[in-house]
Amino acid sequence: MLKIEHLTKVYSNGKKALDDLSLMVEPGDIYGFIGANGAGKTSTIKAIVGIHDFDKGEIYICGHSIRKEPLLCKKKMAFLPDNPDLYKNLTARQFLDFVADIYRVSLEKRQAAIEKYSKMFELDTSLDQLISAYSHGMKQRLALIAALLHEPELLILDEPTSGLDPVSRDELLQILSEYIEDGEHSVLFSTHITGDLERAADYITYISYGELFFSGSKDDFVDMFRIVKGGTNELSADLKGKAVGVRTFPTGFEALVKTEDVAAFSTLDIEPATIDEIVVFTSKRGEDYE
């Protein structure tokens, strides 16, 4: 569904936003796309959907090059930004017709799609209301309907659950799960909300400082590391050397250590690492993270 090969993006000041990034999204899967702010997630997404150009590499959507066949690629995918512009002075139905016109969706197909998704997203009774009267959650669901009208094979979502209440978040994630059930559609969504990954993602792609850190199953990601804890006098030079990162407190420390290395520190407290802890320790810089 999505294949990125050696993607490199350099800013005008010479700083690399993306450095030789390669990743792949397979059919029928949901990939959570994570990384700290500034890691390169937005730059990657904007390159995928054709908003930003890139300096080196290739991006393929369903086997088609975004450089050579941009219009075909855009028909194969849909992009939902974190703050979509929905033209608040239109009704929801007018907005959906406008989007359908852009993608040249026939009248018959658009009517069927609008009916199907508006019922699924519980907007069927409010399609003739002005978008300005919609809540944030309703706007997110409307934007997702618009993204699905032309039946894309790949959905690219940037923080799709940001600002949603727990119920709306759960409903949206359930919709994504249903979307890929036929094995012919895929989703790549960026998020800072760990619960969304645990709820919906099959795989995690994690980038740090513009480079690919990990891409694989959620279980494999968290199994890579453990948290080692101890008192102030138990932080040895050997542990410091093997730790990915160390955070110290007045009463002790905690360190992120590769699972393969924790046997050497069996006398200390060893706990499973969470997704958040892995991202923090591998991304943080400063005196508290050595």
Side-chain angles (χ1 to χ4, degrees):
M1 289 297 186
L2 170 66
K3 185 178 182 181
I4 297 177
E5 293 182 333
H6 309 292
L7 189 65
T8 299
K9 171 70 176 177
V10 183
Y11 292 132
S12 57
N13 61 6
K15 180 182 177 181
K16 283 188 176 180
L18 300 170
D19 189 4
D20 198 38
L21 179 68
S22 296
L23 62 91
M24 187 177 297
V25 173
E26 299 285 357
D29 290 324
I30 297 178
Y31 282 71
F33 191 38
I34 63 173
N37 289 334
K41 299 191 305 299
T42 299
S43 295
T44 303
I45 288 175
K46 288 184 175 180
I48 293 170
V49 301
I51 295 175
H52 283 175
D53 197 4
F54 45 94
D55 298 289
K56 295 180 182 178
E58 289 288 348
I59 298 175
Y60 299 94
I61 307 295
C62 301
H64 302 280
S65 169
I66 193 71
R67 284 192 188 276
K68 298 177 182 178
E69 302 173 280
L71 292 179
L72 181 56
C73 287
K74 289 177 181 179
K75 290 180 180 179
K76 294 285 187 180
M77 66 177 169
F79 171 49
L80 180 61
D82 60 344
N83 189 25
D85 190 346
L86 299 180
Y87 304 100
K88 63 182 181 180
N89 292 324
L90 295 179
T91 67
R93 192 184 305 276
Q94 288 171 331
F95 173 71
L96 293 175
D97 276 328
F98 168 67
V99 174
D101 284 341
I102 292 175
Y103 284 99
R104 299 181 180 179
V105 180
S106 70
L107 185 61
E108 181 181 359
K109 286 186 176 181
R110 78 175 63 178
Q111 287 177 339
I114 290 173
E115 181 179 356
K116 171 186 174 181
Y117 291 120
S118 64
K119 287 183 178 179
M120 182 185 296
F121 299 169
E122 299 182 348
L123 293 180
D124 52 310
T125 61
S126 60
L127 288 177
D128 294 312
Q129 291 183 18
L130 289 176
I131 296 174
S132 59
Y134 271 28
S135 68
H136 179 71
M138 293 171 71
K139 289 177 181 177
Q140 286 291 90
R141 283 179 276 161
L142 177 62
L144 188 54
I145 293 174
L148 293 171
L149 283 180
H150 67 289
E151 299 181 347
E153 296 174 45
L154 173 67
L155 269 179
I156 307 290
L157 310 176
D158 189 7
E159 301 286 348
T161 61
S162 177
L164 296 182
D165 62 78
V167 174
S168 296
R169 278 176 51 208
D170 186 74
E171 290 174 348
L172 179 55
L173 294 173
Q174 178 60 34
I175 289 164
L176 298 183
S177 297
E178 293 173 359
Y179 173 73
I180 56 93
E181 278 183 350
D182 61 2
E184 297 179 358
H185 299 82
S186 298
V187 175
L188 177 72
F189 75 98
S190 71
T191 184
H192 289 99
I193 304 174
T194 304
D196 290 353
L197 299 171
E198 295 170 345
R199 166 74 170 78
D202 303 298
Y203 297 91
I204 287 176
T205 292
Y206 170 40
I207 63 173
S208 181
Y209 298 95
E211 299 180 358
L212 182 67
F213 184 93
F214 175 88
S215 189
S217 75
K218 284 183 299 186
D219 291 341
D220 287 346
F221 183 62
V222 295
D223 284 346
M224 287 174 62
F225 299 99
R226 294 290 185 270
I227 294 292
V228 177
K229 297 181 178 181
T232 53
N233 61 339
E234 295 177 296
L235 181 56
S236 65
D238 184 36
L239 178 52
K240 276 190 174 184
K242 290 184 177 179
V244 175
V246 177
R247 178 165 51 187
T248 57
F249 308 98
T251 57
F253 74 92
E254 57 184 26
L256 184 72
V257 179
K258 289 183 178 179
T259 302
E260 62 199 53
D261 293 330
V262 296
F265 312 107
S266 58
T267 58
L268 303 176
D269 292 333
I270 300 173
E271 301 176 358
T274 66
I275 294 173
D276 282 344
E277 287 171 330
I278 295 172
V279 172
V280 168
F281 274 100
T282 56
S283 301
K284 188 77 173 179
R285 294 291 184 271
E287 293 181 358
D288 290 336
Y289 289 80
E290 300 177 0

